[in-house]
Amino acid sequence: MKRFEIKLLIDKYALHTDDNKMCVKGWVRTKRGNKNVIFIAINDGSTIKNLQVVVDVAKFDEEFLKNITTGACLCVCGQLVESMGKGQCVEMLADSIEIYGMADAETYPLQKKGHSLEFLREIAHLRPRTNTFGAIFRLRHAMAFAIHKYFNDKGFFYWHSPLITASDAEGAGEMFRVTTLDLQNIPQRDGKVDFSEDFFGRETSLTVSGQLEGELGAMALGKIYTFGPTFRAENSNTPRHLSEFWMIEPEMAFYDLEDNMNLAEDFIKYLISYALENCMDDIRFLNDMYDNSLIERLRFVIDNQFIRLRYEEAVNILQSAKQKFEFPVGWGTDLQSEHERYLVEKHFKCPVILIDYPREIKAFYMKQNDDNRTVRAMDVLFPAIGEIIGGSQREDDMTKLVARMKEVGIDPADMDWYLDTRRFGSAPHSGFGLGFERLLLFVSGMSNIRDVIPFPRFPKNATF
Ligand code: 4AD
Ligand code: MG
């Protein structure tokens, strides 16, 4: 008998077989009833909605029915009929049930409902089976798809930067080393590790950003984007940091900072609109369960222009704020999340794009302004999140770029391949990086970044 996915049955009621006899397969979410009739809610992951299966107890062996518990996996064949009950349009009258896999009621961790997100993090390998994580991971898929669609429709090319790299793109020194050296017996030369003996014959790490190689793509194909995992060994145990996170990095030849800001704003608004248009069942669930201003907040971002502001003006606003901050602010200090959130949530009540940051607190590749102390950086700040995007116009002047590298302690000879973009046919260009999980935090309304990636990596945690 033909198997149907539950999403199809519920959303497209017309599409059935002549006599409406069919099979569904999925996991038991709840089971209730009495000695005559049992109702089983079954979910196959295709949608947040469950299909109700109605079991006439007289037609089955009672001992067999006892084996159907929350978490068990079933194949049910029967007739799909309109439902009289509240909460569903159709239900299935079961003719036959096969149990693919039982789930022992004593030991199955998701037997009861209403577990805390903290508890579910301890069983990250099972949490996708809950309503909440089903919703989040369907949303995650939809956003990934929308990202590719957005760029493809705009004529960008998907570019694959390497994950193993010999350069520190952000210059922050927070990299995970990649090595095959025997850690018990590390080869030495002149009192230092001899990396010439290592797999690549030099020191290598996991990338913190695909940008530098992305720039090479943009200087040939015009407009590219990367979308892949990035790795940071910073010891940040916060609800907004992961050690392994996904980043989207568009890079465009001939774009200045203004074009870059316009793209970033349009891109984020497109993604949020896409979510509202295509994932409403899941978003409504998250709105109702966790954060009842979620939908309103998503609409607000689409409907309002982001505020654009120079770093200097932001510092002035923060300095005259009545609120006491944990970290003091002054020209030249890196803004902390508390400052970013004050600007967005309290002062402007709107997403903000901050530009023209002090040169000293930003990466070496950012284009220097004529004032000799700021760079053409842009950070997009969001409510509840803080920084969601970081980007800049790039320094296209070879001399200035080399001088800046030396200032921050990068040997230009080590990055000769990068400097070739400036040496041969240099051009104004810009780009930015959107943290995929930070976007998902915003779209799902979740408050901890560990809850929007299937297998979170953070300090002292790589279990599953
Ligand atoms: O601001 P970042 O460090 O910028 C770059 O890496 C540039 N190369 C981007 C570019 O211009 N192509 O990181 C970009 C974004 C941040 O705004 C934030 O959303 C996210 O990446 N991010 C993290 N997300 C989760 N966990 C972390 N540890 C993150 N660090 C940065
Ligand atoms: Mg940043």
Side-chain angles (χ1 to χ4, degrees):
M1 205 172 283
K2 187 166 160 52
R3 178 216 164 190
F4 283 84
E5 287 186 7
I6 291 172
K7 182 177 169 59
L8 200 73
L9 297 182
I10 289 181
D11 291 354
K12 300 218 171 85
Y13 182 41
L15 263 187
H16 303 153
T17 58
D18 290 344
D19 55 0
N20 269 352
K21 293 268 188 179
M22 63 185 69
C23 288
V24 292
K25 301 180 179 190
W27 293 268
V28 176
R29 282 294 163 79
T30 56
K31 179 185 172 196
R32 62 190 173 83
N34 53 45
K35 57 184 191 324
N36 301 319
V37 59
I38 290 174
F39 300 99
I40 301 170
I42 179 168
N43 186 284
D44 65 4
S46 60
T47 161
I48 189 131
K49 293 171 187 157
N50 301 327
L51 182 71
Q52 171 157 287
V53 172
V54 183
V55 182
D56 178 357
V57 174
K59 285 207 230 162
F60 292 84
D61 175 50
E62 253 180 87
E63 285 307 305
F64 170 80
L65 290 180
K66 279 187 192 153
N67 291 329
I68 300 177
T69 54
T70 300
C73 188
L74 308 181
C75 169
V76 183
C77 296
Q79 189 178 24
L80 197 74
V81 295
E82 239 173 281
S83 175
M84 302 299 185
K86 280 205 309 236
Q88 69 263 328
C89 57
V90 289
E91 61 190 17
M92 177 174 272
L93 308 178
D95 293 330
S96 68
I97 301 176
E98 184 184 343
I99 302 181
Y100 281 153
M102 296 199 292
D104 177 27
E106 294 296 313
T107 53
Y108 180 55
L110 296 173
Q111 182 63 225
K112 286 199 220 68
K113 288 186 129 191
H115 290 300
S116 70
L117 293 170
E118 289 76 12
F119 171 76
L120 293 172
R121 239 171 263 147
E122 307 277 310
I123 50 163
H125 59 299
L126 289 173
R127 66 180 181 169
R129 291 203 200 170
T130 61
N131 286 331
T132 297
F133 286 92
I136 291 170
F137 296 138
R138 276 186 297 272
L139 208 49
R140 189 177 164 104
H141 158 78
M143 289 293 87
F145 177 77
I147 285 162
H148 286 300
K149 180 166 166 46
Y150 178 85
F151 285 123
N152 184 63
D153 290 353
K154 281 197 161 339
F156 283 65
F157 299 103
Y158 184 23
W159 174 264
H160 294 107
S161 286
L163 299 191
I164 299 175
T165 173
S167 52
D168 181 356
E170 291 304 300
E174 292 160 336
M175 305 185 81
F176 290 101
R177 179 161 286 139
V178 172
T179 181
T180 53
L181 291 179
D182 177 1
L183 297 184
Q184 305 304 328
N185 185 18
I186 298 173
Q188 306 257 334
R189 180 181 291 179
D190 306 331
K192 288 191 179 150
V193 179
D194 182 7
F195 284 107
S196 71
E197 301 259 317
D198 205 348
F199 190 87
F200 295 104
R202 58 183 301 165
E203 198 174 351
T204 50
S205 307
L206 292 176
T207 190
V208 295
S209 156
Q211 177 197 322
L212 301 188
E213 297 88 347
E215 287 186 51
L216 298 170
M219 296 305 269
L221 302 175
K223 292 184 304 202
I224 62 91
Y225 70 103
T226 70
F227 183 5
T230 49
F231 308 87
R232 295 196 185 179
E234 54 190 332
N235 202 359
S236 301
N237 260 307
T238 83
R240 284 167 296 99
H241 288 87
L242 288 166
S243 314
E244 176 181 297
F245 64 99
W246 287 62
M247 188 158 41
I248 302 99
E249 295 186 274
E251 191 72 33
M252 299 74 61
F254 318 121
Y255 272 48
D256 64 13
L257 189 64
E258 172 102 26
D259 301 324
N260 206 22
M261 285 194 274
N262 292 342
L263 181 73
E265 182 167 345
D266 185 63
F267 177 47
I268 284 214
K269 286 180 170 171
Y270 172 88
L271 296 178
I272 295 172
S273 305
Y274 187 94
L276 286 171
E277 276 161 34
N278 295 278
C279 312
M280 209 42 185
D281 287 345
D282 290 322
I283 291 179
R284 196 174 295 116
F285 172 82
L286 295 167
N287 183 85
D288 297 349
M289 286 294 288
Y290 293 99
D291 176 357
N292 58 23
S293 56
L294 172 62
I295 295 175
E296 200 183 311
R297 206 161 54 239
L298 296 178
R299 294 230 159 89
F300 181 85
V301 168
I302 299 171
D303 292 341
N304 288 280
Q305 270 215 303
F306 297 2
I307 303 282
R308 298 177 182 193
L309 193 74
R310 301 183 61 240
Y311 166 91
E312 187 167 22
E313 299 169 81
V315 167
N316 291 341
I317 291 172
L318 291 166
Q319 283 180 324
S320 47
K322 291 204 181 71
Q323 181 166 324
K324 278 270 157 290
F325 296 113
E326 192 187 336
F327 297 92
V329 246
W331 204 92
T333 53
D334 211 354
L335 299 187
Q336 303 292 325
S337 162
E338 55 172 345
H339 307 130
E340 297 173 339
R341 293 185 59 175
Y342 175 85
L343 291 169
V344 173
E345 291 163 21
K346 301 245 165 68
H347 191 83
F348 291 109
K349 299 188 170 52
C350 183
V352 172
I353 311 185
L354 275 192
I355 60 165
D356 291 344
Y357 280 75
R359 190 170 64 171
E360 273 61 40
I361 58 172
K362 288 293 184 188
F364 71 93
Y365 52 69
M366 297 191 179
K367 185 166 181 64
Q368 298 176 37
N369 280 315
D370 292 337
D371 64 9
N372 252 333
R373 59 178 206 152
T374 59
V375 285
R376 313 216 77 198
M378 63 172 216
D379 277 7
V380 181
L381 312 180
F382 256 47
I385 312 285
E387 180 191 334
I388 195 165
I389 282 181
S392 73
Q393 186 168 337
R394 316 307 189 191
E395 183 56 82
D396 50 332
D397 180 311
M398 176 82 168
T399 319
K400 287 188 184 161
L401 184 59
V402 169
R404 187 71 192 130
M405 282 173 142
K406 288 182 182 153
E407 263 171 36
V408 301
I410 300 171
D411 182 355
D414 285 346
M415 295 186 69
D416 214 39
W417 58 272
Y418 180 69
L419 290 172
D420 268 359
T421 53
R422 279 50 171 186
R423 197 171 278 133
F424 307 117
S426 187
H429 63 288
S430 299
F432 61 81
L434 167 68
F436 188 47
E437 285 77 19
R438 296 221 180 143
L439 168 79
L440 287 170
L441 274 181
F442 188 72
V443 175
S444 68
M446 290 287 108
S447 48
N448 192 313
I449 201 163
R450 297 171 189 179
D451 294 335
V452 296
I453 185 166
F455 303 102
R457 298 284 177 259
F458 51 91
K460 303 278 179 280
N461 185 82
T463 312
F464 306 105

